[in-house]
Amino acid sequence: MGSLHNASTEQLQALDAQHHLHPFTDTRALNAKGTKVIKRAEGVYLWDSDDQKFLDGMAGLWCVNVGYGRREILDAAYQQMEQLPYYNSFFQTSHPPAIELAARIAEVTPPQFSRVFFCGSGSEANDTVVRMVRHYWSAVGQPDKKVIISRENAYHGSTMAGASLGGMKPMHAQGGLPIPDIEHIMQPHWFINGFDETPEDFGLRAAQALEERILAVGPERVAAFIGEPVQGAGGVIVPPDTYWPEIQRICKAYDILLVADEVICGFGRTGNWFGSNTFDIEADLLAIAKGLSSGYLPIGGVVVSDKVAEGLEAGGDFNHGYTYSGHPACAAAALANIELMQRERIVESAGDSIAPYFQKRLAEFAEHPLIGQVRGVGLLGALQLVPDKPSNTPFAKGGVVGTVCREHCIRNGLVMRAVDDAMILSPPLVISESEIDELFDKARRSIDQTLDDYRNSRIDFS
Ligand SMILES: Cc1ncc(COP(=O)(O)O)c(C=O)c1O
């Protein structure tokens, strides 16, 4: 425990402002306001440095799937650190936690997968994906297959390749992105891009954008398509039912690898072990992180189908890896996390009973005057705030109302994220029905307060 354990909120905020640069943050604005300091957590709850309690509707950053404070994971990491805190897996060496975790991942992933390449995060996983699929095509004699097609508004991480794969315009605007040979097609966001069509027609049209782009680029140059089964950071965008089968057909027809970015959707989030199970996607590679260790320690990986693994083996050395690939303590924590999920049937009970209850309570918001669309699957949910319910017209200045609503949530003891004007939920999978009731009571109060602010012109759109 550091020496600041008993420091006041003001002391912590001052020191934070002086020395700490935060991710995705306007530093000047944050420092003027002061950061919220989170000090401890248990189950689905967080406490800040003023001892205010919050229900964590976001499972940290979509990752604490088994909830906070699970002793089994702490013990596993501690014991591993006592025995072997670090060793690498580069020079023909390995160690038990990485070996066992790799085997366990093969057990829970769909049947075409039996190998994993470890890294430290979701971003590193997607950087690995870029190098791996290009190396694969080169190894099997098609070195011109380099182009990777992704979607607008996708999120695949913050490293150079991860952010290039992602389709977030503000990210591309900084640091000279995207890197070459990355293409983006439209997102399958019916409410924003297809409101005048049936969801089924729109889903087909959004998927066929892939075929059009493959033909424009030339199939002999396209290496892979990457997509999150449900776009998370883009706003919990659940694609229409017609979308993934059509994407699958197109990838097969043009011999394009299909990469499912399971960083959010993996490890139970959509009600099954993987988003690929929920949407019946037969992927060639999976990017994993977050729920792999429930966020207790940083670890990610790329799970590789047997077909891709065989191609890679034919290519000799793969000149890629990280000091912390398969880090022993992180691997031990991830293994304990998966064992916990299996032993307590956390994914199955989330899928069978908790997720349906969560979706039922979420759906009640469809009647709310400020909500234009409710989206969700498993333990993912989004409430789209709109000024004019019958039309899908968004607020003239996006993100303002969402921020107001998020602030109300915080005041009401709920962590809910705003993606522009969509309010996002992704609670721990172990949330109980009564905690779900508490979550939605707080969400309703916050949305009612936001509506009241809007109707009484208390929201500053300038
Ligand atoms: C789908 C997806 N891929 C990749 C990433 C990047 O993961 P990380 O932040 O661990 O680098 C994220 C993070 O939110 C994500 O949501």
Side-chain angles (χ1 to χ4, degrees):
M1 208 63 83
S3 58
L4 288 177
H5 190 55
N6 291 318
S8 70
T9 298
E10 292 70 27
Q11 283 171 318
L12 290 163
Q13 286 175 332
L15 211 55
D16 194 65
Q18 225 174 339
H19 299 293
H20 185 185
L21 294 173
H22 291 248
F24 287 94
T25 293
D26 174 341
T27 300
R28 202 170 278 173
L30 174 68
N31 290 350
K33 185 177 172 209
T35 186
K36 176 163 288 303
V37 183
I38 303 298
K39 284 189 84 169
R40 64 192 170 90
E42 187 63 39
V44 300
Y45 293 102
L46 304 165
W47 284 264
D48 73 4
S49 49
D50 295 323
D51 223 24
Q52 197 191 338
K53 184 179 175 186
F54 301 92
L55 199 163
D56 185 2
M58 284 304 298
L61 206 47
W62 327 79
C63 54
V64 188
N65 289 7
V66 299
Y68 297 95
R70 291 307 305 247
R71 173 69 37 208
E72 301 87 332
I73 304 178
L74 318 189
D75 288 346
Y78 184 83
Q79 282 160 17
Q80 184 55 46
M81 289 186 90
E82 273 189 326
Q83 190 160 353
L84 179 74
Y86 176 75
Y87 204 71
N88 67 73
S89 42
F90 276 46
F91 309 111
Q92 304 192 343
T93 58
S94 197
H95 47 70
I99 295 169
E100 205 177 340
L101 178 61
R104 193 60 65 108
I105 289 170
E107 200 177 296
V108 296
T109 47
Q112 71 271 31
F113 297 105
S114 54
R115 290 182 182 80
V116 59
F117 187 102
F118 286 119
C119 56
S121 66
S123 300
E124 286 182 6
N126 285 322
D127 272 46
T128 303
V129 160
V130 171
R131 299 202 63 217
M132 198 181 250
V133 298
R134 290 177 178 168
H135 179 55
Y136 165 81
W137 283 115
S138 178
V140 299
Q142 298 195 63
D144 292 338
K145 270 183 165 305
K146 287 198 174 68
V147 174
I148 302 176
I149 302 179
S150 176
R151 281 120 25 119
E152 289 159 5
N153 200 31
Y155 188 75
H156 296 295
S158 257
T159 47
M160 292 296 280
S164 297
L165 290 174
M168 304 265 170
K169 290 207 166 62
M171 292 181 77
H172 289 179
Q174 295 173 345
L177 299 178
I179 59 169
D181 287 334
I182 308 283
E183 299 268 333
H184 297 90
I185 58 169
M186 72 185 296
Q187 58 176 340
H189 195 338
W190 173 77
F191 189 74
I192 299 291
N193 301 91
F195 200 64
D196 296 335
E197 301 159 69
T198 65
E200 292 72 26
D201 287 350
F202 170 70
L204 283 178
R205 181 165 72 85
Q208 282 155 7
L210 174 61
E211 188 158 27
E212 284 162 26
R213 190 61 62 90
I214 291 169
L215 293 172
V217 170
E220 70 291 348
R221 292 189 53 229
V222 181
F225 171 77
I226 183 166
E228 304 153 76
V230 176
Q231 275 162 264
V236 180
I237 301 156
V238 184
D241 291 345
T242 47
Y243 183 75
W244 277 113
E246 184 66 358
I247 291 282
Q248 186 88 60
R249 178 193 72 73
I250 294 166
C251 288
K252 284 218 163 91
Y254 295 96
D255 202 12
I256 309 292
L257 295 178
L258 177 47
V259 185
D261 182 340
E262 296 269 7
V263 168
I264 285 179
C265 292
F267 300 95
R269 180 55 55 199
T270 65
N272 292 291
W273 274 90
F274 291 89
S276 297
N277 304 124
T278 301
F279 293 94
D280 217 3
I281 303 167
E282 203 187 311
D284 297 292
L285 298 102
L286 308 177
I288 56 172
K290 293 191 190 274
L292 168 59
S293 65
S294 283
Y296 278 56
L297 282 175
I299 184 164
V302 178
V303 192
V304 180
S305 69
D306 293 341
K307 166 185 142 181
V308 172
E310 276 165 34
L312 288 171
E313 277 168 21
D317 274 350
F318 179 36
N319 299 317
H320 182 83
Y322 306 95
T323 300
Y324 300 130
S325 283
H327 185 285
C330 303
L335 186 60
N337 172 61
I338 298 177
E339 282 173 356
L340 187 59
M341 285 185 167
Q342 290 179 315
R343 195 168 56 249
E344 296 186 359
R345 297 181 52 75
I346 288 174
V347 174
E348 291 75 11
S349 73
D352 294 347
S353 63
I354 286 300
Y357 187 69
F358 175 84
Q359 292 299 331
K360 176 173 151 281
R361 294 293 329 259
L362 184 76
E364 290 166 11
F365 284 79
E367 306 305 320
H368 194 283
L370 198 61
I371 306 294
Q373 192 201 19
V374 175
R375 305 187 284 274
V377 62
L379 280 161
L380 282 172
L383 300 169
Q384 186 80 38
L385 308 180
V386 291
D388 176 25
K389 200 172 165 62
S391 74
N392 76 334
T393 323
F395 284 100
K397 191 169 178 203
V400 179
V401 177
T403 306
V404 168
C405 187
R406 190 191 62 201
E407 294 297 318
H408 280 306
C409 291
I410 293 289
R411 275 189 290 275
N412 290 321
L414 171 66
V415 177
M416 203 167 169
R417 176 167 165 185
V419 174
D420 284 329
D421 291 321
M423 302 309 296
I424 303 301
L425 285 166
S426 168
L429 307 184
V430 295
I431 192 166
S432 67
E433 289 197 1
S434 64
E435 288 162 346
I436 288 175
D437 290 340
E438 179 190 338
L439 186 161
F440 285 117
D441 287 350
K442 289 181 166 163
R444 184 168 291 276
R445 193 178 324 142
S446 307
I447 293 168
D448 286 346
Q449 287 167 338
T450 308
L451 178 64
D452 195 53
D453 285 346
Y454 179 61
R455 285 186 171 155
N456 292 295
S457 307
R458 284 194 297 266
I459 298 181
D460 182 6
F461 286 100
S462 59

